Amino acid sequence: MRLDKFICESTELTRSFAKKALHRGDVTCDGEVVKSSSFKVKAGQIICLDGKVISVVGPRFLMLNKPADTICATFDIVHPTVIDLLDIEKADTLHIAGRLDIDTTGLVLITTDGQWSHKITSPKKDCGKCYLVTLTDELDASLVETFAQGVELRNEDGLTKPAVLEIIDSHHARLTITEGKYHQVKRMFAAVGNKVVGLHRESVGKIVLDDDLAPGEWRFLTDEEIASV
Ligand code: URA
């Protein structure tokens, strides 16, 4: 696609304003200033306008390392939202594929593609979400079987779906669940008389939080990560 057309489709700029921005040197492709409107944009290239990434046409998929004290919502008057952390054009077209609580940290997937996020969030799709959990009370080995069988949550009918618990040490464990009920991990541990004091999402399906992302940082997903869902 021509660069001027690409800018129009990815931002609110008209074709003539896009051309002016190009002339001023406000547009970069993979870090290099590009002034030509007819420059052809190729898949995977990072296009920035005024230093902000506008690189992706069509569906967009990204991962964020969520810091504590941010909200998984598109708007909040008190706290910053995860969308506020994305310095990205057309952020209003994005939604969060599986929310985390304000105090939970780690992997958040954000996309424009509703069908893709449904595959992550629908309990019927069995997409595992793995959490590193810190607890106030000592873990008992019998909990592995209890969570595999399912537990009853307060104010919910039936049992939770089978979950995989890996005990790391007396107060730390990894828990993989395929549902996303409200405060599910905290409520599962509450159901067995323990209390979660730290919760960090490490992976969703085969998508693992990138070690290179500091809290608050994000990147686009790779084609393999997108296809893995
Ligand atoms: N379970 C919780 O209790 N909180 C989260 O943020 C995610 C899963």
Side-chain angles (χ1 to χ4, degrees), residues 99-101 104 131 177 181-187 199 201:
R99 290 157 195 264
L100 296 179
D101 298 336
T104 303
Y131 296 86
I177 56 173
K181 292 186 201 292
Y182 182 65
H183 294 329
Q184 179 154 345
V185 175
K186 291 172 186 163
R187 289 164 73 209
L199 194 54
R201 185 153 68 190

Side-chain angles (χ1 to χ4, degrees), residues 42 154 164 214 225 229:
K42 293 190 208 78
R154 258 184 92 183
V164 178
E225 286 168 335
V229 170

Side-chain angles (χ1 to χ4, degrees), residues 210-221:
D210 193 328
D211 281 345
D212 291 340
L213 295 177
E217 289 184 346
W218 65 276
R219 68 159 170 81
F220 288 112
L221 296 188

Side-chain angles (χ1 to χ4, degrees), residues 14 34 53 64 68 74-75 94 139 142 151 163 189 208 219 225:
T14 60
V34 181
V53 177
L64 167 80
T74 44
F75 175 75
L94 294 162
L139 284 155
S142 65
V151 287
F189 280 98
V208 179
R219 68 159 170 81
E225 286 168 335

Side-chain angles (χ1 to χ4, degrees), residues 92-127:
D92 57 331
T93 61
L94 294 162
H95 65 265
I96 301 150
R99 290 157 195 264
L100 296 179
D101 298 336
I102 185 166
D103 51 350
T104 303
T105 57
L107 179 62
V108 174
L109 298 173
I110 299 170
T111 182
T112 53
D113 186 330
Q115 283 184 346
W116 188 82
S117 53
H118 179 71
K119 287 192 226 159
I120 289 173
T121 53
S122 167
K124 287 191 192 130
K125 305 284 180 190
D126 278 334
C127 175

